[in-house]
Amino acid sequence: MSKPYPNNPFLQANFAPVQAECDAPDLVVVEGELPRELTGTLYRNGPNPMFPPLGNQHHWFLGEGMIHAIRVEDGKASYRNKWVHTEQYEAQRKAGKRLLPTGFGEAPVEGAENVKRNVANTNIVWHAGKLLALDEGNSPVAMDGDTLETAGPWTFEGKYQGPMTAHPKLDPRTGEMHFFGYMAAGPATPDISYQVVDRNGALIRSDMFKAPYASMVHDFIVTDEHVIFPIFPATIDVDRIMKGGPVIAWDPDAGSHIGIMARDASVDTIRWFKGDPCYVYHPMNAWTTHEGGRTRVIADVMKYSRVPLFPNADGSKAPASLTDEQSLLVRWTFDLDSNSDSYTEEVLTDLGGEFPRFDERFAGHKNRHGYYAAMRRPKEAPGASYDTFVHIDLQSGKRREWEPGVGRYVHEPVFVPRKESAAEGDGFLVSLCYDTARNISDFIVLDTDDISRGPVARVELPMRVPFGFHGNWRNGA
C-alpha cells in the first residue's frame, strides 16, 4: 500500500497534486468565442508533489514543478502538461518514492544526500528561443516550448551556474533579460549575484555583492535606468538554524533595506534605503523620473506587513495562507538626490490581493493599468483561494472587477495586447479558473476594455490545474 498524503491544507482541494500528464489537442469552447487575434501559448508553473512528504511536514513551495500549456490559434485551443524533469524528479521517478523532503530543514532519505534539489516550480519564461522553468535556488531548466520535453539545466553556455530568481525582468526595448540570485556564495550567505543576458541569450554581465543580511529575496525590479534590490526580514540565520530554529523566518528587527543602482553602474555604487519591516513577494512595475531637477525611482509593489507562510524567528506559528493577510498595492518613491535613506509610501487601493501584472510592453516605464487577483468572499471552504480579478487604473484609482461565482477560484492574470501596436492596456487577460463543483479548471479570456462583463471565452480543460504560482504568454507560438 502506498503512503497517503497527510492532512495538510496545501495538499488538499485544488492545492492537491495531479498525477497524470495529458495531451488534449482539441478543447471545447463552452462559452463565447476565442478572439481570432489571440494567438500564442499560456504557460503555467506550480508545485505538484510527485510523492507524499517524507514526514508530516510539507511546505507549498517545495513540491516538484509541473508545466501546463494552453495553446490558442484560429479560435481553437489545445492543452498539454508535463512535470519538469529535474535531477530531483528523475532520481525519485527511478526510485518510485520520495527521496528529498518537502519541508524546510528536513533531511533526505539515506543514500539521497547527493541528489541535487531542484523543484523548478515557480515560473516559466520564454527568452531567446528557450522555455525556462525556474525556481529561485537553481539554474533554470530548459524545455521545448511545444512538446514540454525537458532539455536540462541551462547555465548560459557554462558562464553562470548559480541560483537564478524565478522573476527575471525582460526589457521591452533592448530585449535583455536581467536576473539575480540570492545566497549566491552558498547556503545562508548574504551574497547576491546580478546578471544581464542579451536578446540572443548570451550572458553579457555578471556581478556579485553583499546584501545587509541573508534573506529570502523572491523578486526585484528593473526600470529603464535603475535596478532595485529589495531585502526584507525573512531572514536566513546560520546560528538560528544550527540551534534547530526555522531556516527562513520573520525577524522584523532586521528592517527592510532597498538597494538601488544605475543599470550602467558598478554594484559598488548600490545605495541602500531603509524602511519599516514588511514583505513584498511581487512588485507590479517601477520607473525612473526626472522632474524639477531631481531623479526619483517610483515602484508599485504588493506589500504585506510580514512574510506569509513562514514562522517567526522564535519558531512560533506562521500564517497558514497567503490570504490570511492580503497584501496592499502601495507606491514607494525614492528620491535619489536626497541625503535621506528613507522613502515615502502611498496606498493605491484598499482592496488587497496578489499576483500583480501589467502590460509588460511598459516594463521599466510608467504604466497606467494594473491587474491582480483578490479575495472578495470570506474563506468559504477549505482550499478557498483568490476569487476575483481586479483591473486598476493607476491614474484615476478606479477599479473594475470580475468574480466567477461561488466555489470558483482564479489564478494569476496575464495580460496579452490585442496587437503589438495597441495602446497600453488594450487587450486581454488570460488565466485559469478552478470550479469546485465540476472539479475541473477552465481557461478564460477577459477583454480589458471591461473585465466586469465576464469572459469573452471560456474553454474547458480536461483536468484541473492545481493552484500554483506564475505563468507567461508566448505570443504567436
Side-chain angles (χ1 to χ4, degrees):
M1 174 183 260
S2 61
K3 177 183 176 180
Y5 283 83
N7 184 18
N8 183 294
F10 289 104
L11 293 169
Q12 298 174 337
N14 197 44
F15 289 96
V18 295
Q19 297 300 324
E21 294 183 332
C22 173
D23 186 359
D26 193 8
L27 303 180
V28 177
V29 182
V30 294
E31 179 180 338
E33 294 183 352
L34 287 167
R36 292 284 171 170
E37 60 266 50
L38 191 64
T39 300
T41 302
L42 175 66
Y43 299 106
R44 172 78 184 176
N45 199 352
N48 195 78
M50 56 194 298
F51 295 108
L54 293 176
N56 290 323
Q57 292 189 54
H58 173 75
H59 198 286
W60 188 30
F61 291 1
L62 297 183
E64 289 76 23
M66 176 177 276
I67 308 303
H68 305 262
I70 299 94
R71 160 106 176 127
V72 179
E73 186 176 16
D74 295 332
K76 298 180 179 180
S78 61
Y79 169 83
R80 174 175 283 152
N81 71 312
K82 282 187 183 296
W83 263 291
V84 187
H85 286 218
T86 63
E87 298 95 321
Q88 175 171 332
Y89 173 91
E90 295 287 6
Q92 293 186 149
R93 182 59 69 203
K94 183 178 180 180
K97 63 180 182 180
R98 177 156 296 286
L99 301 177
L100 300 180
T102 58
F104 283 99
E106 284 189 298
V109 302
E110 186 176 353
E113 294 85 358
N114 294 325
V115 175
K116 183 173 176 56
R117 301 189 189 203
N118 184 358
V119 289
N121 68 7
T122 310
N123 205 352
I124 184 81
V125 174
W126 179 263
H127 180 67
K130 287 183 171 60
L131 185 65
L132 303 176
L134 305 166
D135 66 18
E136 56 196 50
N138 296 276
S139 297
V141 178
M143 305 180 73
D144 186 284
D146 298 322
T147 67
L148 301 185
E149 296 293 334
T150 299
W154 174 242
T155 60
F156 306 94
E157 297 181 340
K159 294 181 179 179
Y160 178 74
Q161 301 183 39
M164 175 177 172
T165 176
H167 290 287
K169 304 305 176 188
L170 301 178
D171 187 314
R173 311 292 168 90
T174 68
E176 293 173 342
M177 179 171 71
H178 297 245
F179 67 89
F180 74 97
Y182 67 95
M183 294 194 297
T189 60
D191 299 76
I192 306 282
S193 67
Y194 169 58
Q195 282 69 228
V196 181
V197 175
D198 71 14
R199 64 171 65 247
N200 299 313
L203 187 72
I204 59 175
R205 176 173 180 174
S206 186
D207 287 305
M208 189 92 78
F209 65 92
K210 289 187 182 297
Y213 53 84
S215 69
M216 179 180 68
V217 189
H218 183 68
D219 204 343
F220 79 139
I221 329 174
V222 177
T223 80
D224 63 333
E225 296 184 40
H226 293 91
V227 186
I228 303 102
F229 299 101
I231 310 297
F232 301 113
T235 63
I236 304 169
D237 184 271
V238 172
D239 290 339
R240 181 181 68 223
I241 297 168
M242 294 297 288
K243 294 175 183 176
V247 175
I248 299 172
W250 173 246
D251 186 1
D253 290 343
S256 297
H257 299 253
I258 315 296
I260 300 180
M261 75 171 189
R263 277 173 50 164
D264 59 358
S266 164
V267 292
D268 295 334
T269 67
I270 294 175
R271 178 176 174 184
W272 291 99
F273 292 81
K274 298 177 182 178
D276 293 333
C278 66
Y279 198 82
V280 172
Y281 273 115
H282 305 113
M284 179 176 283
N285 191 26
W287 59 93
T288 301
T289 67
H290 302 279
E291 296 175 352
R294 306 188 78 87
T295 298
R296 294 180 175 89
V297 170
I298 299 170
D300 294 345
V301 304
M302 301 296 285
K303 174 192 168 186
Y304 294 93
S305 64
R306 74 171 315 280
V307 63
L309 305 176
F310 289 93
N312 297 313
D314 62 7
S316 55
K317 191 175 184 297
S321 168
L322 276 175
T323 55
D324 283 358
E325 175 206 345
Q326 295 199 70
S327 60
L328 282 177
L329 182 61
V330 303
R331 175 166 291 172
W332 287 340
T333 299
F334 304 86
D335 187 341
L336 302 189
D337 290 307
S338 168
N339 293 324
S340 170
D341 64 0
S342 64
Y343 51 92
T344 64
E345 177 177 296
E346 173 191 0
V347 177
L348 297 179
T349 182
D350 61 358
L351 178 59
E354 247 299 354
F355 303 121
R357 299 299 294 258
F358 64 106
D359 183 341
E360 293 181 11
R361 295 175 300 166
F362 290 80
H365 299 262
K366 186 174 182 179
N367 63 294
R368 177 172 178 172
H369 300 280
Y371 315 91
Y372 61 95
M375 179 177 275
R376 271 294 193 187
R377 300 188 298 272
K379 295 185 92 168
E380 54 196 9
S385 187
Y386 299 101
D387 54 36
T388 302
F389 279 138
V390 180
H391 172 194
I392 181 169
D393 184 325
L394 297 167
Q395 181 172 300
S396 68
K398 293 181 179 178
R399 297 192 309 251
R400 285 183 172 172
E401 303 167 18
W402 176 68
E403 297 182 46
V406 175
R408 295 179 178 180
Y409 304 103
V410 298
H411 293 232
E412 173 191 52
V414 176
F415 176 83
V416 181
R418 199 175 307 274
K419 56 184 179 179
E420 192 53 40
S421 60
E424 186 212 340
D426 178 19
F428 306 100
L429 286 190
V430 296
S431 189
L432 301 172
C433 180
Y434 171 66
D435 186 345
T436 56
R438 294 153 56 229
N439 193 31
I440 209 164
S441 297
D442 295 316
F443 170 71
I444 58 170
V445 181
L446 300 168
D447 194 311
T448 55
D449 182 57
D450 186 356
I451 67 169
S452 67
R453 292 187 296 211
V456 297
R458 179 169 63 88
V459 180
E460 186 173 273
L461 301 185
M463 60 197 300
R464 64 181 178 84
V465 177
F467 297 133
F469 303 131
H470 302 291
N472 285 288
W473 180 262
R474 177 188 171 196
N475 197 45

